[in-house]
Amino acid sequence: MGCGGVKPYVPTAAPADTLRFPTAPPDALRRIEGDTLLIKGARLIDGLGGPAVPDRDVLIQDGKIAQIGENIEAADLPVLDARGLTLMPGL
């Protein structure tokens, strides 16, 4: 029992088959191999306290952020469609 006779809340994990991602495009859930890819159309939170920026592309090369901007083109790279998702680099 918790403090004052109140039973403490203990969260439980939901079974994997009940988890839903209603705003995530199916493409965003697929596994991408390697350490170089292009993330397209994400809502970007930079962690510096500014407002979130919509529709940003993030180019990852060799596991590091190489470029952030709009309409980045990168031939022959895997692309993750992140429209409708939020990206917070470093987390």
Side-chain angles (χ1 to χ4, degrees), residues 1-9:
M1 294 301 271
C3 182
V6 177
K7 186 175 180 181
Y9 171 72

Side-chain angles (χ1 to χ4, degrees), residues 29-50:
L29 300 178
R30 69 184 170 88
R31 181 175 176 83
I32 294 179
E33 298 293 331
D35 55 3
T36 300
L37 72 129
L38 179 59
I39 302 170
K40 298 284 288 179
R43 177 177 176 252
L44 182 65
I45 297 175
D46 65 12
L48 299 175

Side-chain angles (χ1 to χ4, degrees), residues 21-32 79-85:
F21 301 93
T23 62
D27 183 53
L29 300 178
R30 69 184 170 88
R31 181 175 176 83
I32 294 179
V79 175
L80 181 101
D81 181 1
R83 289 174 294 174
L85 300 175

Side-chain angles (χ1 to χ4, degrees), residues 13-22 29:
D17 63 344
T18 64
L19 297 177
R20 301 287 183 258
F21 301 93
L29 300 178

Side-chain angles (χ1 to χ4, degrees), residues 58-84:
V58 179
L59 177 62
I60 309 292
Q61 290 181 322
D62 299 321
K64 296 180 182 175
I65 296 172
Q67 184 179 354
I68 297 174
E70 295 180 81
N71 302 314
I72 297 174
E73 297 297 327
D76 302 323
L77 286 183
V79 175
L80 181 101
D81 181 1
R83 289 174 294 174

